DNA sequence: GTCTATACGCAGATAGAC
DNA sequence: GTCTATCTGCGTATAGAC
């Protein structure tokens, strides 16, 4: 409200944004290398090289190497939980709502493909505390998928017998894509999304059409 | 043929078998710890402790830690390739043959659950040469699944549009089970196998019944 | 085949200047 | 916010006796 604030705040914000972008750049570059070589086989110096700074400078942005891994894992668990799950609360049938989630999931997976590889493979290298946070997000996501499957079973749209197993089958199908899909292949991610809505929602779960 | 041979050979064989069992014991114990803590976070001393010997003694059985990992990875790629894939050459329709493969795959996965977790998560820590061997087995397996899907599409049993994508969906579903299935839950592995034959072969691929 | 003792290189992390 | 310099410990692997 006061004059000092209105002058000082923008500068502080700008600096904060630049710092945040640097953090995101580090996490993004690190994810690329982690995905290719495995978290444990990557040194802080390797990450620093990719960013264009020296190893010690990384510690200005992250307190430890494990915190970089944690940031990468959050990207593929917190972001989908916060961005995709609300789609399950939108109006529409279970078929429509789950189809939206599948599409959103695949768009996100495609935009963060290396992060998904890391997040699905390197959980064991997180501290117990960080791992618990990540697994909470995953459990939450899994539970919401299971719940919409149960909802579709109640309406009669989905014809499977066991919601829990079917939900695992669906999420495993979706996340598995990170291991074989490449942007430069014959199919676009939208092609894959169309195919997977058909395979998972209509065929596997039995939704009409 | 000579007397010395007929006396000496059994002893040598016995020793060879004992040595092999020791190797398998080491690989099996190592797989358990790798699956829980991650390959890179496990020391040779940890493995040795689990086996009941000292760290240095492991080098009598394996030339390096990475060779233990390689042995574990072979268990979940070479064994299924050699044991399960012949089921696809047996008499029967594509539906029947793929259903046999799915059941055999899940029985094997259940008997080697921790090895699957390791084999699916730690490939990046293999040497380039070993990794190539493992990926060859996986490609071979994936290709044979795709081929039987294609065969089923030709006979009209399977109603999917793209064999490659459908085959990935099926194998990703199957392997994903290693991350959530536990022997002590409500379902037996045979229950899961029945469910997955239904979900993957009949529902997802569209085989009648 | 297992042991004790040890070599030794690497990688995560810190100190402190600029 | 990045640098140079450095510490330090850990963990794979080896040597060689039993």
């Amino acid at each position: 409200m006061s004059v000092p604030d209105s002058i000082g705040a923008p500068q502080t914000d700008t600096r904060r944004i630049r710092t945040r972008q640097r953090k995101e750049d580090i996490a993004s570059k690190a994810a690329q290398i982690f995905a290719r070589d495995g978290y444990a086989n990557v040194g802080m110096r390797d990450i620093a090289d990719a960013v264009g700074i020296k190893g010690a400078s990384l510690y200005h942005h992250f307190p430890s190497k494990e915190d970089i891994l944690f940031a990468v894992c959050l990207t593929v668990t917190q972001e989908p939980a916060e961005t995709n799950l609300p789609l399950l609360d939108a109006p529409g049938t279970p078929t429509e709502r789950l189809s939206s989630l599948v599409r959103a999931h695949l768009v996100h997976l495609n935009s963060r493909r290396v992060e998904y590889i890391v997040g699905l493979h390197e959980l064991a290298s997180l501290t117990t505390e960080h791992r618990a946070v990540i697994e909470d997000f995953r459990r939450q996501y899994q539970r919401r998928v299971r719940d919409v499957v149960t909802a579709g079973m109640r309406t009669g749209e989905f014809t499977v017998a066991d919601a829990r197993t079917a939900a695992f089958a669906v999420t495993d199908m979706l996340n598995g894509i990170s291991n074989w899909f490449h942007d430069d292949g014959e199919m676009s991610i939208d092609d894959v999304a169309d195919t997977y809505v058909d395979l998972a929602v209509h065929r596997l779960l039995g939704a009409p059409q």
Side-chain angles (χ1 to χ4, degrees), chain A:
Chain A
M1 301 297 188
S2 63
V3 174
D5 270 350
S6 58
I7 294 178
Q11 291 180 340
T12 308
D13 283 359
T14 303
R15 195 173 302 154
R16 212 172 271 153
I17 287 165
R18 284 211 185 111
T19 302
R20 174 186 253 171
Q21 283 178 340
R22 182 60 122 181
K23 272 192 81 162
E24 285 173 8
D25 186 40
I26 291 170
S28 161
K29 293 280 198 343
Q32 262 184 282
I33 318 178
F34 290 166
R36 196 190 57 202
D37 298 339
Y39 170 75
N41 309 308
V42 176
M44 289 298 266
R45 291 163 184 84
D46 299 323
I47 302 169
D49 283 350
V51 177
I53 57 178
K54 296 292 173 183
S57 306
L58 290 172
Y59 290 87
H60 182 76
H61 304 279
F62 290 94
S64 75
K65 185 186 168 193
E66 189 267 347
D67 276 279
I68 302 180
L69 176 61
F70 182 50
V72 173
C73 290
L74 277 179
T75 300
V76 296
T77 49
Q78 188 174 26
E79 277 184 23
E82 293 179 350
T83 314
N84 300 345
L85 289 183
L87 295 170
L88 296 180
D89 300 318
T93 63
T95 298
E96 291 164 344
R97 287 182 279 137
L98 182 55
S99 297
S100 301
L101 181 90
V102 168
R103 290 182 197 282
H105 193 88
L106 295 196
V107 167
H108 187 257
L109 183 146
N110 184 50
S111 72
R112 301 284 187 185
R113 194 178 147 263
V114 292
E115 284 85 350
Y116 272 81
I117 292 177
V118 175
L120 293 169
H121 289 57
E122 307 284 6
L123 288 191
S125 290
L126 291 172
T127 63
T128 311
E129 291 74 23
H130 284 165
R131 188 171 172 173
V133 171
I134 298 299
E135 286 182 339
D136 259 6
F137 280 119
R138 297 193 66 179
R139 256 193 298 273
Q140 184 192 352
Y141 205 86
Q142 192 66 38
R143 189 198 178 98
R144 294 297 313 275
V145 171
R146 194 197 64 194
D147 287 347
V148 73
V149 171
T150 304
M153 289 166 66
R154 290 225 182 83
T155 66
E157 293 167 65
F158 299 156
T159 57
V160 288
D162 179 32
R164 180 173 166 270
T165 312
F168 274 124
V170 170
T171 54
D172 286 339
M173 272 174 64
L174 297 184
N175 288 327
I177 294 174
S178 62
N179 290 315
W180 58 264
F181 179 74
H182 289 90
D183 236 348
D184 50 4
E186 299 170 2
M187 300 178 89
S188 72
I189 193 64
D190 287 332
D191 295 334
V192 177
D194 288 342
T195 304
Y196 267 65
V197 166
D198 179 49
L199 292 178
V201 183
H202 293 283
R203 293 170 162 273
L204 194 149
L205 293 174
Q209 295 267 356

